Amino acid sequence: MTISYKSTSPYYQTKDDLGYLDVMVYRNIPSERDDILFEVTKNYEFRPDLLANDLYNDVNLWWVFAIRNNSILKDPIFDMRSGIKIFLPKITTINSELGLS
């Protein structure tokens, strides 16, 4: 049985064989010069899903922040602390990289 993941999933490019995920193939979220430097506020602490919902209207894109800020967010949930600064990719970048446009 092969499982298909949505293009918005972090597992979209990872092979699935007989219901078991292979080694994770990370999606590419490139840095752009005009990405916004954002200081995480208390209401987004430990909640990248809420930030993804507010920015991209999709809670499932929470993983985008960890990929784009991989040196800062080693753990995409618990490293998302109030006061840290991360780069936010534009929706156009997300759409282009995930094949949504």
Side-chain angles (χ1 to χ4, degrees):
M1 174 174 95
T2 300
I3 298 172
S4 297
Y5 292 92
K6 292 181 180 182
S7 64
T8 56
S9 170
Y11 306 111
Y12 182 71
Q13 295 177 327
T14 302
K15 291 182 183 178
D16 177 302
D17 188 28
L18 302 174
Y20 297 97
L21 279 176
D22 201 343
V23 175
M24 178 79 166
V25 175
Y26 288 95
R27 310 286 301 271
N28 182 39
I29 304 297
S31 60
E32 302 284 343
R33 281 193 237 183
D34 55 350
D35 286 348
I36 297 167
L37 184 61
F38 174 75
E39 185 173 333
V40 176
T41 57
K42 192 73 173 164
N43 55 322
Y44 295 122
E45 187 170 48
F46 310 128
R47 297 301 306 266
D49 58 329
L50 295 180
L51 182 57
N53 187 61
D54 289 348
L55 290 177
Y56 310 128
N57 203 30
D58 189 340
V59 295
N60 297 312
L61 292 174
W62 60 269
W63 57 272
V64 165
F65 308 121
I67 298 296
R68 174 59 181 86
N69 299 280
N70 61 359
S71 64
I72 300 167
L73 299 175
K74 299 290 184 190
D75 182 313
I77 308 291
F78 293 108
D79 287 346
M80 188 86 156
R81 295 184 178 274
S82 179
I84 68 161
K85 293 182 181 178
I86 61 172
F87 286 100
L88 304 177
K90 297 179 303 300
I91 188 66
T92 53
T93 303
I94 300 300
N95 288 341
S96 173
E97 291 300 318
L98 303 185
L100 301 175
S101 43

